[in-house]
Amino acid sequence: MLDCPLCRATFPHRNELQKVAHLLEMRAKEGKSWAQVEIGLNHFEGRFGLPVDKIEAFKWFELAAEQRHPVALCKLADYYIKGLGGDASIACDSKSRALMKDSADLGYFYAQVKLGSTYFLGVGGTVDKAKSAYYYTLAHSQDPDSFPAHRLGFIFLEGSGGMKKSLYRAKYYIQRSAEKGLADAYTPLALILLELSRVQYDGKVISGHNCIPRALF
């Protein structure tokens, strides 16, 4: 048993699985949304020795979502876009997007990434690069080296979503994702660097080439 550094209450170590699960259930039944999410995740992922039960997980996520817990809202959004337990009858793209928006607007990083991708690809609706850029920017502000940087780079490369086309901004964002090891960023980064290296000489446009090794190796 350990002492909480804030309230000095004793609580079990994580290897005391049964005690942890019991305390979580107590807090969840008291209406603590964070505990309801944890129990939902335990059922969803089969943690603490529990069998995977996505129907039971859904019930706990619903309880937490009623208190606007961002993780619960995001998990429910996944249920509604995929169908509860594989049941397509519960699938509802509009409800999924509304739940994901609530979670993203509460600052949940993964919801911001997912919602940005939803608008970028037009999943469950039309493509909206402006909204995509908005949510990718929110996510990027929390993790500047993440996947949203890659997508923001393409938005600036295309000049879509109300963004002015800019190779320099595209390079900035795509290079961040390439440096993080995202393989899909290497080729577009090489092409951007190649384009930026073009120089005017004697009335002719000469393309540079020494950027390719930097981007690919």
Side-chain angles (χ1 to χ4, degrees):
M1 301 286 283
L2 302 172
D3 289 333
C4 173
L6 299 179
C7 67
R8 303 302 177 190
T10 56
F11 59 95
H13 194 273
R14 287 194 64 85
N15 59 13
E16 300 177 89
L17 299 182
Q18 289 185 336
K19 292 180 180 178
V20 172
H22 177 67
L23 284 178
L24 275 177
E25 187 172 354
M26 287 176 57
R27 296 295 178 263
K29 289 180 177 178
E30 290 171 0
K32 304 295 185 184
S33 62
W34 61 267
Q36 292 166 346
V37 168
E38 285 299 316
I39 289 184
L41 291 172
N42 290 344
H43 286 291
F44 190 86
E45 299 173 2
R47 302 188 309 196
F48 290 98
L50 293 171
V52 172
D53 188 341
K54 294 186 178 180
I55 305 297
E56 185 66 20
F58 180 84
K59 297 174 183 177
W60 288 105
F61 290 143
E62 268 197 321
L63 289 173
E66 289 173 1
Q67 301 183 60
R68 296 185 60 74
H69 193 289
V71 176
L73 290 165
C74 185
K75 296 300 290 186
L76 283 184
D78 285 339
Y79 272 95
Y80 279 104
I81 202 168
K82 298 174 182 176
L84 176 58
D87 181 4
S89 65
I90 198 175
C92 178
D93 290 337
S94 60
K95 188 163 187 175
S96 174
R97 186 174 287 195
L99 288 165
M100 195 70 74
K101 182 179 184 303
D102 286 344
S103 179
D105 290 344
L106 287 168
Y108 187 45
F109 171 79
Y110 291 107
Q112 292 167 348
V113 174
K114 288 181 178 182
L115 194 57
S117 297
T118 295
Y119 285 120
F120 189 90
L121 301 172
V123 177
T126 57
V127 171
D128 190 329
K129 293 294 180 67
K131 288 182 179 178
S132 175
Y134 173 75
Y135 284 105
Y136 278 145
T137 300
L138 291 178
H140 179 71
S141 69
Q142 297 192 60
D143 183 358
D145 296 324
S146 63
F147 172 74
H150 183 247
R151 285 284 172 80
L152 283 170
F154 275 96
I155 288 172
F156 281 107
L157 188 61
E158 298 169 351
S160 57
M163 302 296 184
K164 185 177 180 180
K165 184 174 181 178
S166 171
L167 286 175
Y168 292 98
R169 288 189 176 185
K171 169 185 172 293
Y172 169 79
Y173 286 114
I174 293 177
Q175 187 167 344
R176 295 299 294 263
S177 59
E179 290 171 351
K180 194 67 173 180
L182 184 64
D184 288 345
Y186 297 153
T187 298
L189 177 59
L191 295 174
I192 290 171
L193 291 171
L194 184 62
E195 184 66 22
L196 288 174
S197 72
R198 291 160 66 90
V199 295
Q200 192 77 24
Y201 179 76
D202 229 6
K204 297 180 180 179
V205 175
I206 311 277
S207 294
H209 58 278
N210 60 351
C211 59
I212 297 295
R214 177 186 174 190
L216 298 181
F217 302 101

